Amino acid sequence: MSKTTQENPAVENSAQETVSNTSKATSAPSKSADATPKAASTATKTTRPRSTSRSTKSTASSTSTKVAPAKTTKPSVQQDKSMSQNTVRRVAIIGGNRIPFARSNGAYFTASNMDMFTATLNGLVERFNLQGQRLGEVVAGAVLKHSRDFNMTRECVLNTQLAPETPAYDIQQACGTGLQAAFLVANKIALGQIEVGIAGGVDTTSDAPIALGDGLRKALLELNIAKTGKDRLKALSKINVKDLMDAPKNGEPRTGLSMGDHAAITALEWGITREDQDALAASSHQKMAKAYEEGFFDDLITPFLGLSRDNNLRADSTAEKLAKLKPVFGKGEAATMTAGNSTPLTDGASCVLLASEEWAKANGHEVLAYLTFTETAAVDFVGKKEGLLMAPAYAVPRMLERAGLKLQDFDYYEIHEAFASQVLSTLKAWEDEKFCKERLGLDAPLGSIDRSKLNVKGSSLAAGHPFAATGGRIIATAAKILNQKGSGRILVSICAAGGQGVTAIIEK
């Protein structure tokens, strides 16, 4: 989504309408399409000064095929409406839901990806009274999937009370999956192709997709087509004990190094200290514990399998306690990364409800915030030109340039804490004149941020990190923060495997 949601059609302010209070467990009953006001025929564009003349044009089909919904289905508002190619709408964040995140091989040991994401969707459906509604689409994914997870998101939708006519499909971009899913839904809403959709993600490392080893698999395939006894014996003779099983590997295919090993290299390059990492980790736990005590997450979480809050959270965490842990990544005395300042393997799922302002108004839902700008970047970590997890450092300045903003123009910053060292390396890079000039092509450093505005409700070091589910958690948290504040702007940043970074701006 380039500058999609900055160009805003004149949609009547819905402040005077009855809207759902998202701090409560239930919302106003959904309305049918019959009660929907017509879309404005002209658009009033609100623009910001841009620091560059670059622009990205979005296009949409000027016609659409109208299909009469089944009598038992409640169509979402103006789902089949045609739009002109020049109409680009704001994308509203209506709310989110997730199940508590759980450390691997614990509370969710018996739960599958489908179990967890279905529970997450059901919670969202109940919270926003979406029963029987045909939504534009549901987009989600998982990084670790079994063969049985074929068409996973669609199967999960069919497990819910959403109308079975709701389309759904899977995506995957490592840790950026959940956020990228939101971009896909948002783009279609912005272009008028759909009015409402759900984006999300799920992952389990407890129910790991352990499969037949490649050697055994090929031998069995050869056995399947064998015509004679001799051919069958020949196929079976190729089976090697070492080839019996294939399990997910904690390493980058191109380097063989784990994400933690890569992060340790980057931490060393940027001179990130153990003390600073432990301080950031302790702060994340303390902030999230406080948010739970204040009830911030009450309308963002659906209890699941006996959990009502993230079980990785340590309310009594301190830098002093974390300092006692031994390093698990890096080598020798220079090693600074521990299990305490790195995210653990985690199971969980999340999703967010996105819509046009018209849909929100017609269905009586409050708009928490808007998804306004997005950017995805990748770096060459294979050629050792950049650290594996440093792509957000490149994505953010590109996004800021298009938005006409400075790094300091944000009320809060939601930066995914894959490792404390990754967050600190990124922040240090933005402060570094040489990095910003030589690698980002900027005239001056982006500068520093107010650290008191960073991850104010805690982040991944406290909650845990089910790979594809982190994006949905962050979007829902950021939107609620802005809604409670009444206005503002939040920068969202997520690093991902494969040297990728996914970033966004959320505003109200």
Side-chain angles (χ1 to χ4, degrees):
M1 184 170 60
S2 53
K3 59 172 187 166
T4 53
T5 59
Q6 294 304 301
E7 301 185 9
N8 173 26
V11 179
E12 187 177 346
N13 193 324
S14 60
Q16 297 178 351
E17 298 293 321
T18 302
V19 296
S20 64
N21 183 347
T22 53
S23 64
K24 297 180 180 179
T26 58
S27 57
S30 302
K31 300 178 181 179
S32 68
D34 296 335
T36 308
K38 293 184 177 179
S41 59
T42 59
T44 302
K45 295 184 179 179
T46 58
T47 61
R48 285 204 188 103
R50 298 285 195 270
S51 58
T52 176
S53 60
R54 286 186 301 163
S55 64
T56 304
K57 296 182 179 180
S58 299
T59 60
S61 175
S62 59
T63 62
S64 62
T65 304
K66 298 184 178 181
V67 179
K71 293 181 180 180
T72 57
T73 304
K74 292 188 290 184
S76 63
V77 174
Q78 298 188 2
Q79 197 62 61
D80 303 306
K81 182 185 65 179
S82 298
M83 290 188 66
S84 69
Q85 289 184 335
N86 296 324
T87 304
V88 183
R89 308 180 300 177
R90 293 207 290 180
V91 177
I93 303 170
I94 308 302
N97 188 56
R98 67 181 178 95
I99 58 174
F101 293 170
R103 292 175 70 94
S104 180
N105 297 317
Y108 299 164
F109 180 73
T110 61
S112 67
N113 280 329
M114 287 193 187
D115 293 335
M116 292 189 292
F117 195 59
T118 296
T120 301
L121 285 176
N122 278 330
L124 190 78
V125 169
E126 181 179 353
R127 183 168 294 133
F128 293 97
N129 292 335
L130 301 175
Q131 296 89 342
Q133 288 206 40
R134 174 176 59 82
L135 306 188
E137 66 180 17
V138 178
V139 183
V143 176
L144 298 176
K145 296 172 70 174
H146 288 268
S147 58
R148 68 168 182 256
D149 288 332
F150 168 76
N151 219 5
M152 180 192 74
T153 306
R154 172 60 177 160
E155 291 297 326
C156 290
V157 167
L158 292 173
N159 286 337
T160 72
Q161 293 187 57
L162 289 172
E165 292 83 4
T166 297
Y169 60 93
D170 292 9
I171 70 159
Q172 197 265 86
Q173 194 180 26
C175 306
T177 299
L179 192 53
Q180 200 66 251
F183 298 171
L184 293 173
V185 174
N187 281 339
K188 290 187 179 180
I189 293 170
L191 296 176
Q193 295 172 353
I194 63 175
E195 292 296 317
V196 59
I198 295 173
V202 59
D203 258 302
T204 170
T205 50
S206 297
D207 185 27
I210 299 173
L212 296 177
D214 201 47
L216 175 59
R217 182 183 63 83
K218 290 180 178 179
L220 292 176
L221 289 173
E222 188 173 331
L223 179 65
N224 185 57
I225 62 172
K227 302 297 184 182
T228 66
K230 182 179 180 180
D231 289 338
R232 295 185 184 95
L233 287 173
K234 182 179 179 181
L236 291 171
S237 68
K238 294 181 180 180
I239 297 176
N240 189 313
V241 176
K242 295 180 180 179
D243 297 330
L244 293 181
M245 186 177 70
D246 183 24
K249 296 178 177 62
N250 182 24
E252 283 290 327
R254 300 279 176 171
T255 66
L257 296 177
S258 70
M259 189 175 289
D261 290 331
H262 274 284
I265 294 171
T266 302
L268 193 61
E269 290 175 348
W270 284 102
I272 306 302
T273 68
R274 167 73 182 269
E275 291 75 19
D276 286 346
Q277 293 177 60
D278 288 345
L280 180 66
S283 175
S284 184
H285 282 275
Q286 292 161 8
K287 290 175 181 177
M288 182 161 284
K290 182 181 178 182
Y292 266 108
E293 293 305 316
E294 293 173 346
F296 179 84
F297 295 110
D298 287 355
D299 61 345
L300 296 177
I301 289 180
T302 295
F304 184 64
L305 294 184
L307 289 187
S308 57
R309 63 168 58 186
D310 311 304
N311 71 2
N312 182 62
L313 178 61
R314 300 291 182 266
D316 61 349
S317 181
T318 65
E320 291 73 24
K321 290 181 179 179
L322 292 173
K324 298 177 181 179
L325 299 176
K326 294 181 179 180
V328 293
F329 299 112
K331 298 179 180 179
E333 295 181 359
T336 59
M337 294 174 56
T338 71
N341 57 41
S342 307
T343 53
L345 294 175
T346 318
D347 307 332
S350 70
C351 62
V352 290
L353 180 64
L354 306 175
S356 67
E357 291 178 299
E358 294 165 295
W359 186 92
K361 180 180 178 180
N363 285 273
H365 293 307
E366 180 181 21
V367 174
L368 300 185
Y370 297 92
L371 180 58
T372 56
F373 284 88
T374 73
E375 184 74 27
T376 304
V379 296
D380 181 4
F381 70 96
V382 181
K384 298 183 179 180
K385 296 180 180 179
E386 189 51 87
L388 175 74
L389 303 180
M390 291 296 287
Y394 293 77
V396 166
R398 297 174 192 170
M399 184 171 63
L400 294 179
E401 183 181 29
R402 285 191 289 107
L405 296 171
K406 301 189 299 295
L407 182 61
Q408 295 72 29
D409 292 338
F410 293 87
D411 296 270
Y412 302 105
Y413 303 83
E414 285 290 324
I415 301 179
H416 162 48
E417 300 165 342
F419 305 93
S421 65
Q422 187 278 331
V423 177
L424 296 170
S425 295
T426 299
L427 294 177
K428 199 166 184 178
W430 288 335
E431 297 169 353
D432 188 80
E433 183 175 3
K434 182 179 180 181
F435 176 87
C436 290
K437 184 177 181 179
E438 295 182 1
R439 301 196 190 187
L440 302 183
L442 302 176
D443 295 329
L446 287 176
S448 59
I449 68 168
D450 182 346
R451 297 289 180 90
S452 68
K453 299 178 179 179
L454 175 65
N455 298 338
V456 294
K457 302 299 181 183
S459 192
S460 304
L461 285 168
H465 173 42
F467 310 121
T470 288
R473 176 188 65 77
I474 289 178
I475 293 173
T477 298
K480 184 170 181 178
I481 290 172
L482 289 182
N483 189 56
Q484 288 186 338
K485 185 177 182 295
S487 63
R489 184 182 296 123
I490 293 181
L491 176 68
V492 174
S493 172
I494 296 179
C495 60
Q500 301 182 96
V502 189
T503 64
I505 295 174
I506 295 175
E507 301 181 78
K508 185 177 178 68

